[in-house]
């Protein structure tokens, strides 16, 4: 079955629009983006301290996720570091000052307020490590697991 022309056009333009957004975030706001990073058009990068956002190679930020780099109440600007090969799930929130290790998956709607060790899956509000020892590929796609569920699940 043939797809409607508008769907074909949107599919063809998506890579160009994503690259334009990457260049805009890098050039205008100074966001530190690694190679192959994909950020949804509806994801929110904190514009109060955009130079404080650091995203590693081949990571993905899904729709309506928010990455915050300023703490208004305490009048602080804190950097956020997201490792390589990570997935930041839809509608998740990353708080200022958080470091997320390489090969992590942040589940949809998770609220991450503490650092996340490499190779972990985080879910919930507040975000908790629910699995460790995972390996992900480009854009946070899960490849395999080496570990077991986190201590609080055993």
């Amino acid at each position: 079955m043939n797809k409607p022309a508008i769907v074909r056009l949107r599919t063809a333009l998506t890579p160009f629009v994503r690259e334009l957004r990457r260049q805009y975030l890098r050039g205008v706001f100074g966001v530190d983006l690694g190679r192959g990073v994909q950020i949804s058009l509806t994801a929110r990068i904190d514009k109060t301290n955009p130079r404080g956002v650091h995203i590693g190679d081949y990571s993905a930020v899904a729709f309506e996720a928010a990455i915050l780099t300023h703490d208004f109440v305490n009048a602080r600007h804190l950097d956020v570091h997201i490792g390589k090969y990570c997935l930041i799930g839809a509608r998740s929130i990353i708080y200022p000052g958080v470091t997320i290790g390489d090969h992590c998956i942040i589940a949809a709607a998770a609220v991450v307020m503490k650092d996340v060790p490499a190779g972990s899956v985080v879910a919930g509000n507040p975000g908790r490590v629910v699995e460790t020892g995972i390996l992900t590929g480009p854009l946070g796609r899960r490849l395999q697991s080496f570990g077991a569920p986190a201590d609080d699940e055993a």
Side-chain angles (χ1 to χ4, degrees), residues 14-71:
T14 297
F16 299 107
V17 173
R18 280 190 182 137
E19 184 58 29
L20 279 174
R21 176 115 196 267
R22 280 174 44 84
Q23 295 305 323
Y24 174 71
L25 288 172
R26 273 183 159 161
V28 174
F29 290 104
V31 177
D32 178 20
L33 300 175
R35 291 174 305 195
V37 171
Q38 289 191 10
I39 299 177
S40 170
L41 295 176
T42 59
R44 293 171 179 88
I45 305 293
D46 193 340
K47 301 299 191 300
T48 304
N49 179 27
R51 292 183 190 280
V53 176
H54 309 277
I55 303 176
D57 299 341
Y58 303 104
S59 290
V61 180
F63 68 91
E64 295 182 14
I67 300 174
L68 306 175
T69 57
H70 82 285
D71 179 354

